[in-house]
């Protein structure tokens, strides 16, 4: 097992480099960029700015207000809206964002910095990228962790019940509910919840902004817990609706597959009760794939499943941060979050494999090729 773990850890390096390289190349051909965004702000044509320019950008704005006669127009012609600006000012902008270097040199420099977990500063915020990610992380952890726990708490018992009563009326109508719930996008259900319970057209029971109330620090510890879950109630409900469907059906099918095996028939023939057979023999084998997938399910919901929910409920988490970074061409944040999320995803895949061996020691990854 040690050799397998070592091989998997070594494979993380080229995989990360490949992921970063593909996205770096895509960015090179994408229209717009941080230089164009600063120029658009100076020209008063930027309408998508949700973040302010850093101190360096502000200084540039003060020095590049007017056009100068003559000068090298080849620099300004590369950027839309740069006509009329001092070419030296545009060159200073390129130097600030690192675009004065060839793409390969920029990419290799980025990899070297990221290998040392040096992610630099945000282009348009006066804060380090790592500090910015850590600042937004509590919101995404809350949504991802609770959504995964609640969906598993619902899915596993429901999937077992559906497997035991396969083909019954209970199985049919719960399957219909699951399919309908899975078909409804989480953000549409979030809007419905707001209309019904958050001051839309009917009731006004739940808040619409933030993870806690403004007077959070003044509350007692019991009130803190209640306030926290009061703010999470609607976002979690919207996210859980579609999340539990896959795990429920996976649990049901896994149990059905195990129930039909010979060892179950043998256990019943020995006179064991149905509950003993189900939870003493079937459960461990059937839950292997479900439980081993828990780390991956958490990471998936943590990083990818909450963008629209965070936006709708004004929750300032990692999903919203990534979206704003792409819109604002804040490449420092874009590539740093991509690197961190990719690294965590690769490590979680390894943890999932190790979880298989922990649940069922008969599985041996050492005997197969990676």
């Amino acid at each position: 097992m040690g050799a397998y773990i070592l091989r998997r850890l070594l494979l993380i390096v080229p995989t990360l480099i490949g992921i970063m390289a593909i996205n770096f190349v895509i960015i090179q051909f994408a229209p717009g960029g941080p230089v164009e965004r600063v120029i658009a702000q100076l020209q008063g044509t930027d309408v998508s700015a949700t973040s302010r320019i850093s101190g360096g950008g502000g200084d540039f704005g003060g020095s590049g207000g007017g056009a100068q006669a003559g000068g090298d127009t080849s620099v300004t012609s590369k950027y839309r809206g740069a006509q009329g600006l001092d070419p030296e000012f545009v060159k200073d902008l390129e130097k600030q964002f690192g675009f004065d270097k060839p793409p390969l040199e920029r990419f290799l420099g980025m990899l070297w910095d990221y290998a040392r977990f040096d992610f630099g500063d945000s282009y348009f915020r006066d804060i380090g990228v790592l500090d910015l990610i850590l600042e937004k992380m509590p919101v995404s952890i809350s949504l991802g962790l609770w959504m995964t726990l609640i969906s598993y708490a619902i899915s596993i018992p429901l999937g077992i019940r559906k497997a035991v009563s396969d083909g019954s009326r209970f199985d049919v109508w719960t399957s219909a509910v699951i399919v309908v719930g899975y078909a409804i996008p989480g953000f549409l259900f979030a809007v419905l919840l707001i209309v019904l319970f958050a001051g839309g057209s009917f009731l006004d029971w739940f808040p619409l902004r933030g993870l806690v109330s403004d007077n959070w620090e003044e509350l007692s510890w019991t009130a803190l817990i209640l306030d926290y879950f009061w703010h999470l109630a609607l976002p979690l409900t919207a996210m859980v609706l579609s999340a539990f469907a896959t795990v429920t059906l996976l649990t049901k099918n896994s149990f059905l597959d195990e129930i039909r095996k010979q060892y179950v028939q043998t256990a019943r023939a020995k006179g064991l009760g149905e509950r003993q057979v189900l939870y003493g023999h079937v459960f461990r084998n059937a839950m292997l794939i479900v439980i081993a997938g828990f780390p991956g399910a958490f990471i998936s919901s943590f990083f990818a499943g909450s963008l629209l929910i965070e936006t709708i409920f004004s929750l300032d988490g990692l999903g919203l941060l990534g979206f704003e970074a792409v819109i604002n061409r804040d490449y420092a944040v874009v590539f740093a979050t991509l690197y961190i999320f990719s690294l965590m995803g690769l490590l979680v895949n390894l943890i999932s494999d190790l979880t298989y061996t922990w649940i069922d020691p008969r599985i041996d990854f050492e005997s197969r090729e990676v």
Side-chain angles (χ1 to χ4, degrees), residues 14 34 49 74 79 92 154 159 166 183 186 190 197 210 244 309 317 328 339:
S74 62
Y79 302 106
D92 288 339
I154 296 173
D166 183 42
F197 302 111
F244 81 95
I309 299 300
N328 293 312
Y339 178 86

Side-chain angles (χ1 to χ4, degrees), residues 206-228:
F206 296 95
L208 271 178
R209 177 175 294 276
L211 199 61
V212 294
S213 298
D214 294 334
N215 61 338
W216 165 262
E217 297 179 354
E218 303 172 4
L219 302 176
S220 63
W221 68 271
T222 52
L224 290 176
I225 296 174
L226 291 175
D227 181 78
Y228 172 71

Side-chain angles (χ1 to χ4, degrees), residues 177-178 180-182 184-186 189 236-245:
V177 172
I178 289 173
V180 172
Y182 184 74
I184 299 176
F189 194 64
L236 281 180
T237 302
M239 294 176 68
V240 166
L241 181 68
S242 58
F244 81 95

Side-chain angles (χ1 to χ4, degrees), residues 250-332:
L250 182 63
T251 302
K252 176 192 173 182
N253 293 333
S254 182
F255 264 80
L256 282 177
D257 185 56
E258 291 295 323
I259 288 173
R260 293 164 181 165
K261 290 184 177 179
Q262 184 62 43
Y263 75 89
V264 176
Q265 306 301 325
T266 303
R268 287 171 176 167
K270 289 180 178 179
L272 295 180
E274 193 65 26
R275 192 173 186 84
Q276 287 180 297
V277 172
L278 189 62
Y279 292 101
H281 294 74
V282 175
F283 185 83
R284 181 174 181 176
N285 294 329
M287 292 306 297
L288 172 63
I289 189 172
V290 178
I291 297 176
F294 181 87
F298 170 63
I299 291 296
S300 176
S301 62
F302 184 18
F303 295 130
S306 59
L307 168 59
L308 292 176
I309 299 300
E310 288 180 9
T311 304
I312 292 172
F313 290 99
S314 299
L315 299 172
D316 196 8
L318 292 174
L320 189 59
L321 172 65
F323 174 74
E324 289 183 349
V326 172
I327 295 298
N328 293 312
R329 303 299 192 268
D330 196 342
Y331 293 158

